[in-house]
Amino acid sequence: MNVSPKFFGASAPVAYGGKDAKSPLAFRWYDKDRVVRGRRLEDHLRFAVCYWHSFCWPGGDPFGGETFLRPWHRGTDMMALARAKADIAFELFRLLDVPFFTFHDVDVAPEGASLAESVANLNAIADLFEQKMASSKVRLLWGTANLFTHRRYMAGAATNPDPDIFTYAAGQVRAALEVTHRLGGQNYVLWGGREGYETLLNTDIKRELDQLGRFVSLVVEHKHKIGFKGPILIEPKPKEPTKHQYDFDVATCYGFLQRYDLLKDVKLNIEQNHAILAGHSFQHEIALAQALGVFGSLDINRGDDLLGWDTDQFAMNVPELALAFHDILKAGGFTTGGLNFDAKIRRQSIDPDDLIHAHVGSMDACARAFLAAADMLDAEALTMPIAERYAGWADAEGRAILAGQRSLADLANRALAPGFDPQPRSGRQEYLESLVNRYV
Ligand code: XUL
Ligand code: CO
């Protein structure tokens, strides 16, 4: 097996060339050093390349196998292949000049014959990552453990009917959390891959929720024990792989965190395609997470409106992204979170440089949307009409109602007074929609 250092056609990092750049591989909007609202674009957007879609997925679908034929998927020395894959991954991070990456344990290191062997493999690759990170500027946005691919997890990890599977999952998460900590990870993610059910004929929902609550609590306790400062992020998704997932959407996750007293340590990693599958918009999930104080990070991608599954395409829709970023920026921007490309190229995109084009195109779409969002905020284009719409609540009577200084009878008596006749006002939706279009 020989992975040529010239795997990609490009060899110089993609540079900002402005809107009229001639090169097909240039940033047209993502000028990483441009300062917007007091921060460089790179520090606002905090882009991360994910390992699993970009370097592990071979291009298969339910009807056909691998199309990409990656050189690091051919051979028998699994650790050598993992090292070759890491070389290519860090080469892509360099070419894209991204500040972060993300991975699952099994993306980066082969599973061994026992958990002990898997953990040793993971730690050996983490040693390699430490060296590579020391000689590059890329950092770890988050790490996670894959608790859904192996057949042992077919009936769930934390929610498995067998406590020994729960225990195995705990062993995997301890190792992944500690490696994330060692590599300076800013968050740790728990996506409930198979924490759900296929049929209630064999499922005890209350028991499984209690198991999941216990599992997340154990992770939080361990995070404090080892001094990991970042938040634990759970990732809402309503279905796929199971028919019903316990972390259905933001509202469901909030209820879960509240019930198991986890709101202090756990926030949410929100993904566009998952929002769509739950019957919400991306902006809805972000706005609700902000309102409930559980917003953490974003898996940035795009579902297909005509397909009912998680297509994980690269996000390219500027108006949609602009509204999402508007709400994030309004609340002060990312803290530990960022924009993780949980996105995969289509299986016909078999040229190595398709990986570069996909990321560059989506980074540009995000940057363009972000600049539009910042302009909307600066002009108070959406915040002012909303403030005006609710202005009555800032008056003395509105404040008194919310402060609990009016009873139902007080309100009724006021409403019954002669001449009390409040009038409805326009919601001005079309005006607001056309206003947004001035910016995007
Ligand atoms: C699956 C998904 C995961 C998580 C990490 O739909 O989004 O890749 O982001 O486990
Ligand atoms: Co995701």
PDB file of all heavy atoms in Angstrom, residues 2-23:
ATOM      1  N   ASN A   2       0.587   2.111  -0.929  1.00  0.00           N
ATOM      2  CA  ASN A   2       1.414   3.298  -1.015  1.00  0.00           C
ATOM      3  C   ASN A   2       0.511   4.493  -1.315  1.00  0.00           C
ATOM      4  O   ASN A   2      -0.048   4.612  -2.393  1.00  0.00           O
ATOM      5  CB  ASN A   2       2.459   3.098  -2.128  1.00  0.00           C
ATOM      6  CG  ASN A   2       3.222   4.378  -2.396  1.00  0.00           C
ATOM      7  OD1 ASN A   2       3.389   5.186  -1.489  1.00  0.00           O
ATOM      8  ND2 ASN A   2       3.654   4.555  -3.640  1.00  0.00           N
ATOM      9  N   VAL A   3       0.343   5.361  -0.304  1.00  0.00           N
ATOM     10  CA  VAL A   3      -0.479   6.553  -0.517  1.00  0.00           C
ATOM     11  C   VAL A   3       0.449   7.666  -0.964  1.00  0.00           C
ATOM     12  O   VAL A   3       1.299   8.110  -0.217  1.00  0.00           O
ATOM     13  CB  VAL A   3      -1.218   6.962   0.763  1.00  0.00           C
ATOM     14  CG1 VAL A   3      -1.977   8.256   0.512  1.00  0.00           C
ATOM     15  CG2 VAL A   3      -2.180   5.884   1.194  1.00  0.00           C
ATOM     16  N   SER A   4       0.283   8.072  -2.194  1.00  0.00           N
ATOM     17  CA  SER A   4       1.158   9.125  -2.710  1.00  0.00           C
ATOM     18  C   SER A   4       0.883  10.424  -1.973  1.00  0.00           C
ATOM     19  O   SER A   4      -0.268  10.779  -1.729  1.00  0.00           O
ATOM     20  CB  SER A   4       0.873   9.296  -4.197  1.00  0.00           C
ATOM     21  OG  SER A   4       1.160  10.608  -4.582  1.00  0.00           O
ATOM     22  N   PRO A   5       1.921  11.177  -1.615  1.00  0.00           N
ATOM     23  CA  PRO A   5       1.686  12.488  -1.004  1.00  0.00           C
ATOM     24  C   PRO A   5       0.939  13.391  -1.983  1.00  0.00           C
ATOM     25  O   PRO A   5       0.356  14.380  -1.611  1.00  0.00           O
ATOM     26  CB  PRO A   5       3.093  13.008  -0.704  1.00  0.00           C
ATOM     27  CG  PRO A   5       4.044  12.123  -1.442  1.00  0.00           C
ATOM     28  CD  PRO A   5       3.332  10.860  -1.787  1.00  0.00           C
ATOM     29  N   LYS A   6       0.944  13.004  -3.274  1.00  0.00           N
ATOM     30  CA  LYS A   6       0.216  13.786  -4.275  1.00  0.00           C
ATOM     31  C   LYS A   6      -1.173  13.192  -4.500  1.00  0.00           C
ATOM     32  O   LYS A   6      -1.631  13.058  -5.626  1.00  0.00           O
ATOM     33  CB  LYS A   6       0.991  13.801  -5.598  1.00  0.00           C
ATOM     34  CG  LYS A   6       2.042  14.877  -5.731  1.00  0.00           C
ATOM     35  CD  LYS A   6       1.560  16.323  -5.694  1.00  0.00           C
ATOM     36  CE  LYS A   6       0.577  16.716  -6.777  1.00  0.00           C
ATOM     37  NZ  LYS A   6      -0.177  17.932  -6.394  1.00  0.00           N
ATOM     38  N   PHE A   7      -1.839  12.792  -3.423  1.00  0.00           N
ATOM     39  CA  PHE A   7      -3.192  12.252  -3.565  1.00  0.00           C
ATOM     40  C   PHE A   7      -4.111  13.316  -4.170  1.00  0.00           C
ATOM     41  O   PHE A   7      -4.891  13.041  -5.070  1.00  0.00           O
ATOM     42  CB  PHE A   7      -3.702  11.787  -2.205  1.00  0.00           C
ATOM     43  CG  PHE A   7      -5.125  11.319  -2.218  1.00  0.00           C
ATOM     44  CD1 PHE A   7      -5.467  10.114  -2.819  1.00  0.00           C
ATOM     45  CD2 PHE A   7      -6.136  12.083  -1.646  1.00  0.00           C
ATOM     46  CE1 PHE A   7      -6.784   9.681  -2.858  1.00  0.00           C
ATOM     47  CE2 PHE A   7      -7.464  11.658  -1.671  1.00  0.00           C
ATOM     48  CZ  PHE A   7      -7.778  10.447  -2.266  1.00  0.00           C
ATOM     49  N   PHE A   8      -4.011  14.539  -3.663  1.00  0.00           N
ATOM     50  CA  PHE A   8      -4.826  15.632  -4.202  1.00  0.00           C
ATOM     51  C   PHE A   8      -4.088  16.300  -5.359  1.00  0.00           C
ATOM     52  O   PHE A   8      -2.851  16.373  -5.362  1.00  0.00           O
ATOM     53  CB  PHE A   8      -5.111  16.663  -3.109  1.00  0.00           C
ATOM     54  CG  PHE A   8      -5.950  16.121  -1.983  1.00  0.00           C
ATOM     55  CD1 PHE A   8      -5.386  15.874  -0.737  1.00  0.00           C
ATOM     56  CD2 PHE A   8      -7.301  15.843  -2.165  1.00  0.00           C
ATOM     57  CE1 PHE A   8      -6.151  15.370   0.304  1.00  0.00           C
ATOM     58  CE2 PHE A   8      -8.079  15.334  -1.120  1.00  0.00           C
ATOM     59  CZ  PHE A   8      -7.505  15.096   0.111  1.00  0.00           C
ATOM     60  N   GLY A   9      -4.848  16.819  -6.315  1.00  0.00           N
ATOM     61  CA  GLY A   9      -4.218  17.555  -7.415  1.00  0.00           C
ATOM     62  C   GLY A   9      -3.635  18.869  -6.915  1.00  0.00           C
ATOM     63  O   GLY A   9      -2.574  19.307  -7.333  1.00  0.00           O
ATOM     64  N   ALA A  10      -4.364  19.507  -5.988  1.00  0.00           N
ATOM     65  CA  ALA A  10      -3.904  20.792  -5.463  1.00  0.00           C
ATOM     66  C   ALA A  10      -2.752  20.566  -4.500  1.00  0.00           C
ATOM     67  O   ALA A  10      -2.707  19.548  -3.808  1.00  0.00           O
ATOM     68  CB  ALA A  10      -5.057  21.479  -4.737  1.00  0.00           C
ATOM     69  N   SER A  11      -1.827  21.507  -4.430  1.00  0.00           N
ATOM     70  CA  SER A  11      -0.748  21.367  -3.449  1.00  0.00           C
ATOM     71  C   SER A  11      -0.587  22.600  -2.572  1.00  0.00           C
ATOM     72  O   SER A  11      -0.038  22.522  -1.480  1.00  0.00           O
ATOM     73  CB  SER A  11       0.569  21.027  -4.137  1.00  0.00           C
ATOM     74  OG  SER A  11       0.783  21.928  -5.194  1.00  0.00           O
ATOM     75  N   ALA A  12      -1.085  23.742  -3.036  1.00  0.00           N
ATOM     76  CA  ALA A  12      -1.007  24.948  -2.187  1.00  0.00           C
ATOM     77  C   ALA A  12      -2.356  25.137  -1.501  1.00  0.00           C
ATOM     78  O   ALA A  12      -3.402  24.844  -2.092  1.00  0.00           O
ATOM     79  CB  ALA A  12      -0.697  26.159  -3.050  1.00  0.00           C
ATOM     80  N   PRO A  13      -2.335  25.615  -0.257  1.00  0.00           N
ATOM     81  CA  PRO A  13      -3.609  25.862   0.430  1.00  0.00           C
ATOM     82  C   PRO A  13      -4.505  26.792  -0.381  1.00  0.00           C
ATOM     83  O   PRO A  13      -4.016  27.709  -1.042  1.00  0.00           O
ATOM     84  CB  PRO A  13      -3.177  26.536   1.742  1.00  0.00           C
ATOM     85  CG  PRO A  13      -1.776  26.093   1.953  1.00  0.00           C
ATOM     86  CD  PRO A  13      -1.174  25.915   0.593  1.00  0.00           C
ATOM     87  N   VAL A  14      -5.794  26.509  -0.347  1.00  0.00           N
ATOM     88  CA  VAL A  14      -6.751  27.340  -1.084  1.00  0.00           C
ATOM     89  C   VAL A  14      -6.752  28.735  -0.456  1.00  0.00           C
ATOM     90  O   VAL A  14      -6.815  28.873   0.769  1.00  0.00           O
ATOM     91  CB  VAL A  14      -8.171  26.719  -1.026  1.00  0.00           C
ATOM     92  CG1 VAL A  14      -9.170  27.575  -1.780  1.00  0.00           C
ATOM     93  CG2 VAL A  14      -8.145  25.301  -1.585  1.00  0.00           C
ATOM     94  N   ALA A  15      -6.662  29.752  -1.310  1.00  0.00           N
ATOM     95  CA  ALA A  15      -6.549  31.121  -0.792  1.00  0.00           C
ATOM     96  C   ALA A  15      -7.795  31.930  -1.131  1.00  0.00           C
ATOM     97  O   ALA A  15      -8.554  31.581  -2.050  1.00  0.00           O
ATOM     98  CB  ALA A  15      -5.317  31.787  -1.394  1.00  0.00           C
ATOM     99  N   TYR A  16      -7.972  33.010  -0.402  1.00  0.00           N
ATOM    100  CA  TYR A  16      -9.061  33.940  -0.697  1.00  0.00           C
ATOM    101  C   TYR A  16      -8.693  34.749  -1.941  1.00  0.00           C
ATOM    102  O   TYR A  16      -7.619  35.342  -2.000  1.00  0.00           O
ATOM    103  CB  TYR A  16      -9.279  34.873   0.494  1.00  0.00           C
ATOM    104  CG  TYR A  16     -10.258  35.983   0.217  1.00  0.00           C
ATOM    105  CD1 TYR A  16     -11.614  35.714   0.011  1.00  0.00           C
ATOM    106  CD2 TYR A  16      -9.828  37.314   0.139  1.00  0.00           C
ATOM    107  CE1 TYR A  16     -12.514  36.732  -0.256  1.00  0.00           C
ATOM    108  CE2 TYR A  16     -10.726  38.338  -0.127  1.00  0.00           C
ATOM    109  CZ  TYR A  16     -12.063  38.045  -0.328  1.00  0.00           C
ATOM    110  OH  TYR A  16     -12.951  39.051  -0.602  1.00  0.00           O
ATOM    111  N   GLY A  17      -9.579  34.757  -2.936  1.00  0.00           N
ATOM    112  CA  GLY A  17      -9.273  35.488  -4.171  1.00  0.00           C
ATOM    113  C   GLY A  17     -10.296  36.565  -4.507  1.00  0.00           C
ATOM    114  O   GLY A  17     -10.206  37.195  -5.555  1.00  0.00           O
ATOM    115  N   GLY A  18     -11.285  36.732  -3.621  1.00  0.00           N
ATOM    116  CA  GLY A  18     -12.314  37.744  -3.891  1.00  0.00           C
ATOM    117  C   GLY A  18     -13.391  37.198  -4.826  1.00  0.00           C
ATOM    118  O   GLY A  18     -13.241  36.150  -5.453  1.00  0.00           O
ATOM    119  N   LYS A  19     -14.474  37.969  -4.924  1.00  0.00           N
ATOM    120  CA  LYS A  19     -15.667  37.538  -5.659  1.00  0.00           C
ATOM    121  C   LYS A  19     -15.392  37.151  -7.107  1.00  0.00           C
ATOM    122  O   LYS A  19     -16.035  36.280  -7.665  1.00  0.00           O
ATOM    123  CB  LYS A  19     -16.682  38.689  -5.638  1.00  0.00           C
ATOM    124  CG  LYS A  19     -18.040  38.239  -5.188  1.00  0.00           C
ATOM    125  CD  LYS A  19     -18.954  39.392  -4.868  1.00  0.00           C
ATOM    126  CE  LYS A  19     -18.958  40.420  -5.949  1.00  0.00           C
ATOM    127  NZ  LYS A  19     -19.547  41.640  -5.868  1.00  0.00           N
ATOM    128  N   ASP A  20     -14.414  37.820  -7.712  1.00  0.00           N
ATOM    129  CA  ASP A  20     -14.170  37.587  -9.138  1.00  0.00           C
ATOM    130  C   ASP A  20     -12.956  36.705  -9.392  1.00  0.00           C
ATOM    131  O   ASP A  20     -12.417  36.708 -10.504  1.00  0.00           O
ATOM    132  CB  ASP A  20     -13.999  38.942  -9.852  1.00  0.00           C
ATOM    133  CG  ASP A  20     -15.225  39.818  -9.628  1.00  0.00           C
ATOM    134  OD1 ASP A  20     -16.350  39.272  -9.715  1.00  0.00           O
ATOM    135  OD2 ASP A  20     -15.055  41.016  -9.314  1.00  0.00           O
ATOM    136  N   ALA A  21     -12.545  35.949  -8.385  1.00  0.00           N
ATOM    137  CA  ALA A  21     -11.360  35.089  -8.539  1.00  0.00           C
ATOM    138  C   ALA A  21     -11.509  34.207  -9.778  1.00  0.00           C
ATOM    139  O   ALA A  21     -12.580  33.648 -10.032  1.00  0.00           O
ATOM    140  CB  ALA A  21     -11.194  34.230  -7.297  1.00  0.00           C
ATOM    141  N   LYS A  22     -10.436  34.047 -10.518  1.00  0.00           N
ATOM    142  CA  LYS A  22     -10.485  33.258 -11.757  1.00  0.00           C
ATOM    143  C   LYS A  22     -10.270  31.764 -11.478  1.00  0.00           C
ATOM    144  O   LYS A  22     -10.844  30.908 -12.134  1.00  0.00           O
ATOM    145  CB  LYS A  22      -9.404  33.741 -12.732  1.00  0.00           C
ATOM    146  CG  LYS A  22      -9.658  35.143 -13.272  1.00  0.00           C
ATOM    147  CD  LYS A  22     -10.671  35.117 -14.435  1.00  0.00           C
ATOM    148  CE  LYS A  22     -11.078  36.488 -14.894  1.00  0.00           C
ATOM    149  NZ  LYS A  22     -11.811  37.316 -13.917  1.00  0.00           N
ATOM    150  N   SER A  23      -9.417  31.457 -10.495  1.00  0.00           N
ATOM    151  CA  SER A  23      -9.102  30.060 -10.207  1.00  0.00           C
ATOM    152  C   SER A  23     -10.352  29.304  -9.761  1.00  0.00           C
ATOM    153  O   SER A  23     -11.141  29.821  -8.959  1.00  0.00           O
ATOM    154  CB  SER A  23      -8.042  30.000  -9.110  1.00  0.00           C
ATOM    155  OG  SER A  23      -8.059  28.720  -8.531  1.00  0.00           O
TER     156      SER A  23
END
